[in-house]
Amino acid sequence: MATKRTIKNKAKEIIKLLSEKYPSPKCALNHHTPWELLVATILSAQCTDKRVNMITPALFERYPSMEAFSKADIKELEKYIHSAGFYHNKAKNIINCASEILNIYNGIIPQSIDKLTKLSGVGRKTANVLLGNAFGINEGIVVDTHVTRISKLIGLTKETDPEKIEQDLMNIIEKKYWTDFSHRLILHGRETCVARRPKCHECIISNLCESFCEN
């Protein structure tokens, strides 16, 4: 049975190898401001980043500010974000979130995970994306479908719940790597450890993976 020390050592080696392959990872959601990133991240729930990036140029042109979103007609907003899925809830949450930040925080997005997760449409994952990428604050680790799948495959966690996976990863990975670790694992999932057809023989961390496939 692997000890916490051996898992930490494995995590260090994985981080080293992925850092060499992806030296400057970036958030895949296109944005110019923290508010735009927050909107894009809300839209990305159950939707691909690629799809969100197709939606946001016209969306941000129509609603160029937080104030504009707070005053948006919900039916019109739904038309702009329809292809992101769950557009009724997402439109409502974006409008409410904008109003809450304007009314409670005078238009300044809070930089605390506790305050962020009290906003409409903002869960822990969204808060972590915003803090890490817009403000450079490593408050937690973003656990999306790639991070969930790959962290289990390589043996960094046995959990299935995203918050429990996050806690496991936070316990074995140095805080300074938290934001970039997620980006690198996501890139690795898109390029190499593809869900339906993993390219195990091209994988730079295959010797550290508990699920390496010989075929």
Side-chain angles (χ1 to χ4, degrees):
M1 182 177 179
T3 65
K4 186 174 180 180
R5 178 176 292 180
T6 59
I7 295 175
K8 274 189 173 183
N9 289 338
K10 177 195 276 195
K12 271 188 183 177
E13 186 62 21
I14 288 168
I15 288 168
K16 177 177 178 293
L17 291 168
L18 291 179
S19 297
E20 290 170 358
K21 185 171 183 181
Y22 306 110
S24 304
K26 294 180 181 178
C27 180
L29 293 168
N30 296 334
H31 63 282
H32 298 95
T33 66
W35 169 246
E36 287 189 359
L37 178 57
L38 181 51
V39 172
T41 309
I42 291 172
L43 290 176
S44 72
Q46 305 297 313
C47 179
T48 65
D49 292 346
K50 183 178 180 180
R51 169 58 58 183
V52 173
N53 288 339
M54 292 170 66
I55 293 169
T56 49
L59 180 68
F60 295 145
E61 183 176 354
R62 175 64 183 88
Y63 306 102
S65 66
M66 192 185 299
E67 290 81 358
F69 273 102
S70 72
K71 297 173 182 175
D73 175 80
I74 192 166
K75 293 297 183 185
E76 182 186 29
L77 179 55
E78 285 177 356
K79 290 178 183 177
Y80 276 89
I81 67 170
H82 186 276
S83 62
F86 302 98
Y87 58 93
H88 294 304
N89 282 337
K90 289 179 181 180
K92 181 178 69 174
N93 284 333
I94 290 169
I95 291 170
N96 288 343
C97 185
S99 298
E100 289 158 6
I101 295 171
L102 288 166
N103 295 328
I104 301 171
Y105 301 108
N106 298 313
I108 299 171
I109 298 174
Q111 297 181 29
S112 145
I113 202 158
D114 291 335
K115 290 179 179 177
L116 283 170
T117 52
K118 288 183 172 67
L119 298 172
S120 295
V122 181
R124 187 172 177 91
K125 175 188 163 187
T126 298
N128 281 334
V129 170
L130 186 67
L131 290 172
N133 295 283
F135 302 116
I137 299 172
N138 283 319
E139 189 74 19
I141 295 176
V142 175
V143 178
D144 76 340
T145 54
H146 291 292
V147 176
T148 296
R149 179 173 55 82
I150 299 171
S151 60
K152 288 172 64 182
L153 286 174
I154 58 183
L156 298 184
T157 183
K158 295 185 183 302
E159 300 292 346
T160 55
D161 176 75
E163 290 199 16
K164 290 181 180 178
I165 291 171
E166 183 186 9
Q167 289 303 313
D168 279 352
L169 296 176
M170 288 166 65
N171 285 331
I172 60 175
I173 294 169
E174 286 186 73
K175 191 171 186 178
K176 63 182 179 180
Y177 296 122
W178 287 357
T179 298
D180 284 346
F181 176 77
S182 291
H183 288 322
R184 288 176 175 130
L185 219 57
I186 290 166
L187 287 167
H188 186 64
R190 287 176 177 158
E191 293 182 10
T192 306
C193 192
V194 184
R196 293 185 179 179
R197 192 174 293 178
K199 304 171 185 176
C200 291
H201 290 281
E202 299 176 20
C203 180
I204 59 171
I205 59 172
S206 60
N207 65 321
L208 298 163
C209 181
E210 294 183 0
S211 306
F212 175 75
C213 179
E214 294 286 353
N215 297 327

